């Protein structure tokens, strides 16, 4: 079985749920405390053993590229001031992984964005981390997905149970249990943004998938679906019905950084555990909630 070393991070969506800020600041570089969303995603992939990452961007998302570049103006100043610890910290991630960028020229959907990665991926299985989903987990979710791939040899969808209201906005999976204790299921069907009568279960794909290269030919033949976008779900449905796919109910808490509420929740929860400000912020928060 081929070792998985590549990941794709689609980050070319319009981010309309994060307007007005998304007009000038890509949602993928919004901070959780002091680091952009994208750093959490790249770090998760690196911690799972990924060595090569392709980030799909578009016009106006240059801040993502700049973040993973060296920054000589800061670095020289830090060395002059003897702040080698911060110098080493900001150089570490860009040095530890090969990151490439490609532009999706029009936001034609997540499926279309993933199809932009064909030349980078070639003939290998790969992980996709949705550019606005941060997941705080004991074991990086990418690693959990790779372990499931190595066990069953099929593409994997990272899933969670969601509320009846949420399922209508996400996708719904039809599954049969493989190992319910481990949260592993065989997928026999899936539907993007289902109507209430089309809901198959309360399991939905959230933020991470592991795909096999057959997905590219399928995407070439996938017509625009919900919202007139080329939907990755529609292509994965075909993959599940032809080659098979496994669903993994992953361990970890997911934050939807493409929504205002998700952004606020992530900042609050990461802040209370932050080395520098955690204790002070917790003390502030305890007083503040008394006033609500
Ligand atoms: P979303 O549907 O959350 O992204 O796609 P969006 O379209 O930016 O969000 P709203 O609904 O307008 O607020 C999930 C991921 O897929 C990427 C997004 O950047 C996000 O990381 N995506 C989506 C693309 O790269 N290209 C697209 O055409 C659509």
């Amino acid at each position: 079985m081929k070792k998985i070393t590549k990941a794709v991070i689609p980050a070319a969506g319009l981010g309309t749920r994060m307007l007005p800020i998304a007009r000038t600041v890509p949602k993928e570089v919004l901070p959780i405390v002091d680091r952009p969303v994208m750093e959490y995603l790249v770090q998760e992939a690196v911690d799972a053993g990924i060595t090569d990452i392709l980030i799909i961007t578009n016009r106006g998302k240059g801040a993502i590229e700049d973040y993973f570049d060296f920054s000589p103006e800061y670095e020289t100043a830090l060395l002059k001031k003897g702040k080698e610890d911060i110098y080493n910290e900001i150089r570490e991630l860009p040095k530890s992984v090969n990151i490439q960028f490609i532009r999706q020229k029009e936001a034609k959907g997540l499926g279309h964005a993933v199809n932009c990665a064909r030349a980078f991926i070639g003939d290998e299985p790969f992980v996709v981390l949705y550019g606005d989903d941060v997941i705080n987990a004991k074991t990086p979710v990418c690693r959990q997905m790779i372990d499931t791939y190595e066990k069953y040899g099929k593409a994997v969808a990272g899933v969670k149970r969601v509320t009846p209201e949420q399922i209508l906005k996400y996708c719904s999976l039809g599954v049969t249990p493989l190992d319910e204790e481990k949260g592993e299921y065989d997928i026999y069907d899936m539907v993007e943004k289902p109507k209430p009568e089309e809901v198959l279960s309360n399991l939905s794909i959230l933020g991470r998938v592991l795909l096999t290269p057959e997905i590219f030919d399928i995407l070439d033949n996938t017509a625009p679906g919900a919202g007139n976008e080329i939907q990755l779900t529609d292509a994965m449905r075909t993959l599940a019905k032809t080659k098979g796919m496994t669903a993994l109910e992953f361990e970890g808490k997911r934050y939807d950084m493409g929504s205002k509420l998700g952004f606020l929740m992530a900042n609050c929860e990461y802040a209370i555990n932050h080395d520098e400000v955690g204790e002070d912020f917790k003390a502030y928060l305890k007083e503040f909630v008394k006033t609500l």
Side-chain angles (χ1 to χ4, degrees), residues 219-231:
L219 279 167
D220 280 346
N221 293 303
T222 300
N228 205 28
E229 293 188 340
I230 298 180
Q231 295 289 350

Side-chain angles (χ1 to χ4, degrees), residues 126-188:
F126 62 102
V127 182
V128 181
L129 299 92
Y130 297 13
D132 53 6
D133 278 321
V134 169
I135 303 170
N136 190 2
K138 286 194 205 91
T139 305
V141 180
C142 280
R143 186 69 247 166
Q144 299 178 41
M145 307 277 290
I146 293 170
D147 291 344
T148 304
Y149 169 74
E150 287 173 350
K151 185 166 167 191
Y152 295 102
K154 294 176 182 173
V156 184
V159 303
K160 283 278 188 200
R161 295 192 183 276
V162 302
T163 64
E165 297 79 46
Q166 286 171 326
I167 201 84
L168 307 178
K169 291 190 223 149
Y170 301 160
C171 75
S172 173
L173 297 192
V175 299
T176 49
L178 289 167
D179 185 338
E180 239 171 321
E181 213 167 283
K182 293 214 163 75
E184 295 164 346
Y185 306 84
D186 189 58
I187 302 175
Y188 65 82

